[in-house]
Amino acid sequence: MGMKRGIMRKIFAIAKKELASHFKSPVAYLILVITISVFNVFFFMILDENREASLRDIFKVMEFMFVFFIPILTMKTFAEEKFTGTMEFLMTTPTSSTAIVLGKYLGSLLFFTLIILATSVYYVMIEFFSSPDRAAILTGYLGIWLEGAFFIAIGILTSSWTRHQVVAAISSYVIVFLVYFSVSFIKYFQGTAESLIRYVCTMTHMENFAAGLLTVTDLVYYLSGILFCLVCTRISIENRLWH
Amino acid sequence: MIRAQNVTKYFGGFPALKNISFEVAKGEIIGFLGQNGAGKTTLMRVLTTYLPASAGKVYIAGMDVSRRSLEIRRRVGYLPENPPLYGNMTIREYLKFAARLKDIPHRQQRPHVERVLKDCDLWEARDKVIATLSKGYKQRVGIAQAILHEPELLILDEPTSGLDPAQILQVRRLIKSLEYRRTVILSTHILSEIEQMAQRVLIIKSGEILADSSIENLLKGPGGTSEDGRRVCLRVQGVRLDLEPAIGGIPGIKLARWASENNTHGIDLEMTHPSGDFNELAEKVARAGGRILEIKESKVSLEEVFLQISGNKDLSHSSRA
Ligand SMILES: Nc1ncnc2c1ncn2[C@@H]1O[C@H](COP(=O)(O)OP(=O)(O)O)[C@@H](O)[C@H]1O
Ligand SMILES: [Mg+2]
């Protein structure tokens, strides 16, 4: 058995366990149901007043909802395991910290992907009623997915800092709000600070995706953000600062 | 099997382990004995690679725990103080998950899980959700997880704490059955448990090893003074100033403890008196104007040894319900 295959197996084992635990938790179902019903309401509102069918505004609504839901979804990832002591089990099996972090990330990402997929039913309806801008919708979905993936990485990082889920959720709200809304404070900054904030803020990147623009800068932004959070998570559980 | 050299662990500025060194041979059953807060759990966490030591070295099967932690984890089974269980899984789901993480080859996972389910008497309950189980069951699931990959070294942190008497017996019997060809370390703050389960004991207090010896040697008393000797408790009435030199002056008698209340004295003696009878003692007491109220022989208990070594009177009352 190759070393790599062994690691992949463990990542999948942990991801599967995470996914299953999301499905066993009422919170996750609540998120699923609320997302879809809010989506539903906005879908018909937007469709009603703006006959030119586009998912562009709906992506805005989704983005906004994920700001609120993802910290709730991810808060337990590490905090709960520390609280109940199962972290000690995980970290004394021959499983590397990298595999643990990736497995947990993958599990939450899969659950989130399922939520996104559930909303794609509406896309089919739009196809029925009109001829939408398919490219924009595809990039929009990609953008939303990347943004969610980034927020999940943030949530997992904050969950690795504490044994209390509430603390984990509040910390990730703070960070997610900062990266999501920071562009609103842009008028107080100039020069380098301004362009830095413009880069860090997810809204500016998301706008491009929703407009059908796929740029390397935006992709690099999300992927590097995710990688950064996951590396920090690994460092955090390795050092067990929280214990 | 284990070699620990000058292991020190700081939490912030607080030293939880102070310069601890010891060795454990293959196949030994060793107990860590100490009160809550002594550092047993911390020491076990260092041995299992869960916590890095602040200073010092630990080798398990010749491998440095700080360098080859993954390899060591394959050879060590660990039951933490609170069994680390996922409440929303069934016993079988949990053990299957553990089998995957413990590098058990895919084809052998099922037989391994079934074996420990039977060994730990969990077969009937295998599809029950863990959250619904009683404490005794949970502890056995924790042990099942620890032995799943057939580790050479088994580390059990307070395996019987918090269980009722019937469950304690069950868990003790289970551990006894696991000892074959394994090195086992277990910790406890209950003295009688060490006597029943371990061959050797490390007494730990405030992060230091106070004693490291076999149970047998320990029972012979500190420094082995009462080897072949008798411990005698005496209750005498009289004047202490007259009695103390009279009794203490008898060859072969050593005064271990003297507690007085008014004119009544409780005295512990160690006798290696050649004749072994109490005639001379009675005579000397009478001549000093005293009256013997009671003489009884006593055995050294582990508890007394422990109190002498650690100088702490609370331990005998600290066993949890
Ligand atoms: N993570 C930690 N942070 C700070 N102090 C700790 C930590 N873990 C243990 N301690 C302290 O170290 C000492 C030893 O604890 P522990 O090893 O749990 O003792 P035992 O298992 O013998 O009851 C205690 O005083 C405890 O408060
Ligand atoms: Mg302990």
Side-chain angles (χ1 to χ4, degrees), chain B residues 41 81 157-158:
Chain B
T41 299
E81 202 161 355
D157 196 356
E158 310 228 10

Side-chain angles (χ1 to χ4, degrees), chain B residues 19-317:
Chain B
N19 214 26
I20 281 191
S21 301
F22 65 95
E23 283 187 23
V24 179
K26 221 177 166 119
E28 257 188 310
I29 316 292
I30 183 167
F32 291 173
L33 177 64
Q35 282 176 286
N36 291 326
K40 307 180 293 292
T41 299
T42 307
L43 182 53
M44 290 184 153
R45 283 177 168 168
V46 171
L47 296 180
T48 54
T49 77
Y50 181 65
L51 283 181
S54 310
K57 287 268 174 214
V58 178
Y59 298 92
I60 290 179
M63 295 180 288
D64 185 340
V65 291
S66 62
R67 283 154 173 254
R68 297 168 73 182
S69 60
L70 292 190
E71 246 162 296
I72 287 171
R73 291 176 195 179
R74 272 184 208 116
R75 295 158 175 249
V76 177
Y78 176 41
L79 172 70
E81 202 161 355
N82 300 306
L85 309 175
Y86 295 101
N88 61 20
M89 291 187 187
T90 66
I91 297 178
R92 194 153 45 158
E93 282 168 349
Y94 172 66
L95 292 175
K96 256 174 95 177
F97 178 56
R100 290 197 180 130
L101 295 189
K102 287 175 181 235
D103 287 338
I104 297 173
H106 193 69
R107 288 229 186 88
Q108 288 169 35
Q109 286 175 3
R110 205 177 145 150
H112 272 69
V113 168
E114 290 182 353
R115 175 182 53 82
V116 296
L117 280 172
K118 284 173 188 153
D119 286 354
C120 298
D121 203 8
L122 294 165
W123 184 256
E124 304 293 322
R126 65 192 182 279
D127 289 322
K128 284 199 177 143
V129 176
I130 289 174
T132 64
L133 299 174
S134 74
K135 256 200 118 165
Y137 266 98
K138 284 183 180 159
Q139 196 72 353
R140 296 207 311 268
V141 179
I143 293 172
Q145 161 276 125
I147 58 171
L148 188 59
H149 54 308
E150 303 192 315
E152 301 159 50
L153 172 62
L154 194 56
I155 298 182
L156 309 168
D157 196 356
E158 310 228 10
T160 60
S161 89
L163 303 184
D164 69 33
Q167 295 169 334
I168 287 178
L169 282 182
Q170 217 169 9
V171 166
R172 275 190 197 158
R173 215 173 300 140
L174 172 58
I175 294 171
K176 278 266 168 239
S177 74
L178 300 175
E179 285 170 0
Y180 178 65
R181 282 161 58 136
R182 265 204 194 101
T183 312
V184 180
I185 300 182
L186 46 95
S187 74
T188 179
H189 59 276
I190 301 163
L191 288 152
S192 60
E193 189 151 283
I194 285 285
E195 225 169 332
Q196 291 174 40
M197 302 186 61
Q199 306 160 343
R200 180 181 153 204
V201 61
L202 282 186
I203 298 181
I204 301 174
K205 193 193 176 191
S206 314
E208 286 172 300
I209 295 183
L210 292 185
D212 174 356
S213 90
S214 70
I215 303 281
E216 256 171 62
N217 273 332
L218 207 63
L219 289 181
K220 285 179 186 162
T225 47
S226 60
E227 190 162 9
D228 303 317
R230 306 153 76 189
R231 302 243 312 173
V232 177
C233 297
L234 194 63
R235 238 154 48 85
V236 193
Q237 222 170 31
V239 184
R240 179 167 179 171
L241 280 176
D242 297 334
L243 288 171
E244 197 164 336
I247 299 174
I250 304 171
I253 281 189
K254 231 172 75 187
L255 294 179
R257 189 183 67 99
W258 192 299
S260 303
E261 195 174 310
N262 298 326
N263 268 345
T264 310
H265 315 282
I267 307 159
D268 286 348
L269 304 175
E270 259 158 37
M271 272 181 76
T272 47
H273 198 290
S275 72
D277 60 34
F278 298 121
N279 288 348
E280 192 177 356
L281 180 64
E283 218 172 277
K284 286 269 160 71
V285 170
R287 214 177 290 162
R291 198 155 68 88
I292 292 180
L293 302 176
E294 191 183 349
I295 291 184
K296 85 179 174 232
E297 229 176 309
S298 72
K299 280 201 182 123
V300 188
S301 72
L302 194 56
E303 194 157 314
E304 284 171 278
V305 173
F306 184 82
L307 293 184
Q308 272 176 17
I309 291 174
S310 69
N312 193 312
K313 306 273 179 256
D314 293 330
L315 192 112
S316 50
H317 307 295

Side-chain angles (χ1 to χ4, degrees), chain A:
Chain A
M1 181 179 71
M3 199 65 193
K4 282 230 174 71
R5 245 174 81 207
I7 288 176
M8 288 314 286
R9 280 220 183 110
K10 287 187 197 181
I11 293 175
F12 288 134
I14 295 172
K16 191 179 150 201
K17 175 223 137 207
E18 285 297 297
L19 189 61
S21 91
H22 281 311
F23 275 111
K24 285 173 190 165
S25 120
V27 175
Y29 277 108
L30 212 63
I31 291 176
L32 189 64
V33 169
I34 292 177
T35 306
I36 290 175
S37 33
V38 169
F39 197 88
N40 209 347
V41 169
F42 276 86
F43 178 77
F44 287 107
M45 264 168 53
I46 291 165
L47 214 61
D48 210 35
E49 59 194 43
N50 178 9
R51 299 302 303 172
E52 184 193 320
S54 156
L55 279 179
R56 195 164 170 173
D57 298 303
I58 290 187
F59 285 139
K60 276 225 171 73
V61 175
M62 273 170 102
E63 201 186 351
F64 193 68
M65 278 192 308
F66 293 149
V67 168
F68 286 94
F69 287 155
I70 286 177
I72 301 284
L73 184 73
T74 54
M75 65 183 180
K76 68 175 177 165
T77 6
F78 282 106
E80 190 182 38
E81 302 235 18
K82 284 185 221 164
F83 192 82
T84 61
T86 47
M87 197 63 189
E88 203 165 346
F89 161 75
L90 281 183
M91 301 288 291
T92 52
T93 63
T95 310
S96 66
S97 316
T98 309
I100 294 174
V101 173
L102 288 180
K104 287 196 163 273
Y105 182 64
L106 191 61
S108 290
L109 191 62
L110 281 175
F111 185 79
F112 171 72
T113 308
L114 289 179
I115 296 181
I116 297 263
L117 284 180
T119 66
S120 67
V121 176
Y122 295 94
Y123 171 69
V124 177
M125 284 165 72
I126 291 175
E127 276 280 355
F128 255 145
F129 292 125
S130 62
S131 46
D133 179 354
R134 285 194 189 132
I137 286 170
L138 270 181
T139 55
Y141 262 116
L142 178 64
I144 276 290
W145 186 77
L146 280 171
E147 177 142 321
F150 181 31
F151 290 168
I152 289 171
I154 292 173
I156 283 179
L157 172 62
T158 63
S159 187
S160 76
W161 290 341
T162 169
R163 39 188 289 146
H164 301 291
Q165 299 188 30
V166 177
V167 177
I170 291 171
S171 320
S172 54
Y173 274 130
V174 170
I175 299 177
V176 166
F177 273 51
L178 275 180
V179 293
Y180 180 68
F181 286 115
S182 55
V183 86
S184 329
F185 307 108
I186 206 125
K187 54 176 177 272
Y188 304 113
F189 298 92
Q190 291 122 22
T192 337
E194 190 198 324
S195 46
L196 189 72
I197 288 171
R198 212 176 277 286
Y199 179 73
V200 165
C201 183
T202 60
M203 257 195 228
T204 44
H205 301 281
M206 191 49 216
E207 267 164 15
N208 290 341
F209 281 108
L213 277 169
L214 193 61
T215 74
V216 175
T217 322
D218 298 329
L219 284 177
V220 167
Y221 166 77
Y222 283 116
L223 295 179
S224 60
I226 291 166
L227 192 67
F228 176 77
C229 290
L230 295 184
V231 169
C232 289
T233 309
R234 204 199 100 108
I235 293 171
S236 155
I237 64 166
E238 277 277 287
N239 289 338
R240 292 174 206 112
L241 299 168
W242 40 270
H243 199 87

